[in-house]
């Protein structure tokens, strides 16, 4: 993966390049799991430092789409290691981080795929902060199985019930 991070600072260098990787699987057409890492550089008014993100994520495809094209929502939890002097501790520090994202994966033949994704990362350090990530990637699928298509869930059947009144009782004429 490669992309841009936006550290949401007033520094003119707040947007930096990022490089990353991911390893994952689609459990079925709607649910996936992924471990990922992103390395970037942070520039603040009082210095600059390396920043590394490691995240475990759940990928959710809420749509019934063909296996060749999968939009997804990412929900992840992980850690972010921030180098000095940005860490504020005199050495690198690792903090809890949460990730949400929206993206799409598209197959390129049987073994290759590409992805586009936007992520918002919440980092809990001395001061809680957010950063945006825009990532594009290319990957290789391995294994013999083709990706599972999203399962078709039919609508419940409509049952029609008719209630007919019983015939009127015979009339007796005297």
């Amino acid at each position: 993966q490669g992309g841009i991070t936006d550290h949401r600072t007033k520094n003119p260098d707040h947007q930096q390049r990022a490089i990353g990787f991911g390893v994952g699987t689609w459990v079925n057409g709607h649910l996936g799991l992924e471990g990922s890492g992103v390395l970037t550089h942070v520039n603040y008014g009082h210095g600059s430092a390396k920043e590394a993100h490691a995240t475990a994520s759940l990928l959710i495809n809420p749509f019934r789409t063909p296996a060749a094209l999968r939009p997804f929502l990412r929900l992840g939890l992980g850690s972010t290691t921030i180098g000095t002097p940005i860490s504020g501790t005199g050495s690198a520090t690792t903090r809890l981080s949460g990730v949400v994202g929206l993206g799409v994966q598209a197959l390129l033949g049987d073994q290759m795929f590409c992805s586009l994704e936007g992520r918002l990362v919440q980092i809990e350090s001395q001061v809680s902060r957010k950063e945006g990530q825009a990532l594009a990637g290319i990957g290789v699928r391995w294994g013999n199985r083709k990706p599972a298509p999203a399962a078709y869930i039919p609508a419940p059947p409509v049952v029609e019930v008719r209630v007919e009144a019983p015939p009127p009782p015979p009339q007796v004429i005297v």
Side-chain angles (χ1 to χ4, degrees):
Q1 293 176 326
I4 301 257
T5 59
D6 185 340
H7 295 98
R8 301 179 185 264
T9 67
K10 294 181 180 163
N11 189 325
D13 293 335
H14 61 93
Q15 291 184 340
Q16 294 292 317
R17 287 181 296 228
I19 189 164
F21 69 93
V23 175
T25 185
W26 282 97
V27 177
N28 58 41
H30 296 287
L31 184 65
L33 302 170
E34 183 183 88
S36 63
V38 175
L39 179 63
T40 187
H41 202 83
V42 182
N43 288 322
Y44 279 94
H46 59 283
S48 65
K50 289 183 181 177
E51 183 177 86
H53 303 276
T55 307
S57 298
L58 179 66
L59 306 179
I60 301 166
N61 172 8
F63 306 106
R64 191 176 136 228
T65 59
L69 183 66
R70 278 217 174 98
F72 62 89
L73 167 67
R74 174 185 299 275
L75 300 172
L77 191 61
S79 64
T80 299
T81 301
I82 306 166
T84 58
I86 305 298
S87 65
T89 62
S91 64
T93 184
T94 301
R95 301 294 182 181
L96 180 67
S97 58
V99 178
V100 295
L102 289 174
V104 66
Q105 289 181 347
L107 287 181
L108 304 172
D110 285 340
Q111 295 299 117
M112 302 287 291
F113 70 91
C114 65
S115 64
L116 292 172
E117 183 178 5
R119 297 181 187 175
L120 181 63
V121 181
Q122 174 78 30
I123 302 167
E124 297 300 326
S125 58
Q126 288 179 335
V127 175
S128 180
R129 67 180 178 85
K130 293 181 176 115
E131 69 182 46
Q133 298 176 348
L135 300 169
I138 189 156
V140 178
R141 291 183 54 242
W142 66 88
N144 296 331
R145 295 184 325 158
K146 292 194 180 259
Y152 173 70
I153 301 171
V158 176
V159 178
E160 184 177 312
V161 177
R162 289 187 182 190
V163 177
E164 293 184 17
Q171 294 184 358
V172 179
I173 301 180
V174 183

